[in-house]
Amino acid sequence: MTTPFSRRLTAAFLASLAVAVTVFAATVFALYLVNSLSLNAVGTYANTFALPALVLLVVLMIAGLIDAFGSWWGALLAGLVGGLLGAAAGGLSIAGSGIVKLLDQVVGFYGFFIVAATVVAALLGHRVWVTWIGRPATKGRVAFVRVPAEKLAEGIVTNVPRTLVDRDLADRQWDDYVAALTGSGWQTVEVAQADDQPDSVFVEDAAVVLSKSVAVLTRPGAEARRAEVAAVGDKLRAQGVTLYELEAPGTLDGGDVLVVGKTVYVGRSGRTDADGIRQLREVVAMAKLDLTVVAVPVHGGLHLSSSASALPDGTVLYSSPELDGGLFGRALRVPVGNSANTVALDEKTVLVPASSPGTADLVADLGYTVVKVDLSEFEKLEGSASCLSVRL
């Protein structure tokens, strides 16, 4: 997992501050209660525990920067260490003290502070950390796109015969696609053009967005495409997204992943294998996301996205007769010969490839505004509407 430093720093500070202030206030209040509710002693207690609380804050900050708050037991250990060091700074003399005197000081005057630091770090500190790390990385909707490579025509084709790609037309179609995104309120972030990576325009395959703050960098099934991933990861990281990475030998293409509500459908295709699906399940668990990963057999197409996409209301459109629509709950088959790959631009608007008039009519008949974009040059390379962006 890679959490951007700025996000980790802020989370560590907020968690540490919450713990230190709470422990300080609780300790002073507890001593106030124990000492016959004497208001005169409050100032003395506050001065006594100011330094221990500050030391606790610093120790927890350091621990937070190495992700100690990521688990309750890690936070508990950090709180215990911070409490002990804070007590030491406040006057607990470890060197040269007899064990009886040491225990008396710990259990006595500083005991509550140490226990409070341990418990509050594990409960409150961990919760503040997780909440901040899990907050949306960006405000609004962001789409990551990549300018077509000069060698676009050399892109990999697997299930269709190779045909001539008009590079200039592809550029105009890409501009129209980006305009459709921005026209619907998306902020677009361009990943640097990679002329030596023909398929890099199909940026969807490089990353899978699981939430507004968590994404997975994939390991494409085609070895030649693995160099595309790093640049996409850099842009996601710059937006504050926490990233997980797949490890060899598993493979996973982003085009095989379809997130619908709380379900993540993953195509078991020629590009995505069983180990890639297993690792994706592990990421969902590690990130503590309320999502269920469902594997879907893919036959006769490059990716799951070649045969399925989701409308804004969660209804899945699918085209392949070999795809079991019952897997998706609410699903509609598009007319034969039409693509089921669409992009939900907003709650009322759906982008549909111009080459699929039957799909456009079906979507319009369901009450959506349809935006048609000609993507013919990318379709020659088995590309589709969703392939051209990673949407956060």
Side-chain angles (χ1 to χ4, degrees):
M1 178 184 74
T2 304
T3 303
F5 180 76
S6 59
R7 177 177 286 244
R8 194 163 67 249
L9 177 64
T10 304
F13 174 72
L14 292 176
S16 303
L17 182 64
V19 172
V21 170
T22 300
V23 171
F24 173 77
T27 302
V28 172
F29 183 66
L31 290 173
Y32 163 70
L33 293 178
V34 169
N35 287 274
S36 304
L37 305 180
S38 173
L39 289 174
N40 293 330
V42 172
T44 300
Y45 298 143
N47 288 332
T48 300
F49 284 94
L51 179 58
L54 179 60
V55 171
L56 174 63
L57 173 65
V58 173
V59 171
L60 293 181
M61 268 289 295
I62 296 172
L65 289 175
I66 58 174
D67 295 343
F69 283 113
S71 62
W72 71 267
W73 59 266
L76 183 145
L77 181 60
L80 175 60
V81 173
L84 288 170
L85 292 177
L92 179 59
S93 177
I94 296 177
S97 293
I99 187 64
V100 175
K101 181 179 179 182
L102 173 62
L103 291 175
D104 179 65
Q105 289 176 303
V106 171
V107 176
F109 194 64
Y110 289 101
F112 183 87
F113 177 84
I114 295 170
V115 172
T118 304
V119 174
V120 175
L123 299 179
L124 179 62
H126 171 60
R127 176 52 52 191
V128 171
W129 166 272
V130 170
T131 299
W132 186 264
I133 290 295
R135 61 185 279 275
T138 58
K139 294 181 178 180
R141 298 168 298 160
V142 180
F144 299 83
V145 295
R146 198 164 195 176
V147 176
E150 288 297 330
K151 296 182 179 180
L152 174 67
E154 298 177 18
I156 301 170
V157 291
T158 305
N159 298 293
V160 298
R162 184 176 295 279
T163 55
L164 183 64
V165 173
D166 186 327
R167 180 65 176 72
D168 292 334
L169 178 56
D171 279 346
R172 293 195 295 272
Q173 291 177 349
W174 186 85
D175 289 339
D176 291 342
Y177 177 86
V178 173
L181 290 171
T182 57
S184 294
W186 291 81
Q187 173 193 344
T188 55
V189 175
E190 286 193 19
V191 181
Q193 184 177 7
D195 288 334
D196 60 338
Q197 298 169 9
D199 290 295
S200 57
V201 68
F202 302 123
V203 68
E204 178 186 46
D205 289 325
V208 174
V209 172
L210 294 175
S211 76
K212 289 289 287 182
S213 63
V214 176
V216 180
L217 295 183
T218 67
R219 187 169 183 271
E223 185 175 357
R225 299 198 59 192
R226 292 173 190 165
E228 301 170 19
V229 175
V232 178
D234 290 343
K235 289 296 184 179
L236 285 165
R237 193 176 292 109
Q239 290 290 321
V241 179
T242 295
L243 299 177
Y244 292 80
E245 296 184 44
L246 262 65
E247 300 177 351
T251 61
L252 177 77
D253 273 19
D256 274 318
V257 181
L258 175 61
V259 181
V260 184
K262 294 186 177 182
T263 304
V264 182
Y265 297 102
V266 187
R268 174 61 179 92
S269 69
R271 298 288 180 87
T272 295
D273 65 13
D275 189 49
I277 297 173
R278 178 190 61 78
Q279 290 189 51
L280 185 62
R281 287 197 177 99
E282 290 181 350
V283 168
V284 168
M286 286 189 291
K288 296 180 173 59
L289 298 173
D290 185 20
L291 297 170
T292 301
V293 176
V294 176
V296 179
V298 174
H299 304 287
L302 183 62
H303 292 130
L304 177 62
S305 66
S306 304
S307 304
S309 66
L311 295 175
D313 65 0
T315 298
V316 173
L317 302 179
Y318 71 102
S319 58
S320 173
E322 298 177 335
L323 195 60
D324 181 5
L327 290 172
F328 303 111
R330 298 196 315 273
L332 290 173
R333 177 87 176 272
V334 301
V336 176
N338 285 262
S339 170
N341 185 274
T342 63
V343 174
L345 295 175
D346 56 40
E347 292 302 310
K348 301 177 181 179
T349 312
V350 178
L351 186 154
V352 179
S355 60
S356 299
T359 301
D361 290 343
L362 173 62
V363 173
D365 195 50
L366 294 175
Y368 292 104
T369 298
V370 173
V371 175
K372 295 181 181 181
V373 178
D374 185 6
L375 300 174
S376 62
E377 301 313 294
F378 301 105
E379 290 168 347
K380 293 176 181 178
L381 298 168
E382 297 180 277
S384 54
S386 65
C387 296
L388 296 173
S389 61
V390 172
R391 297 168 299 284
L392 184 63

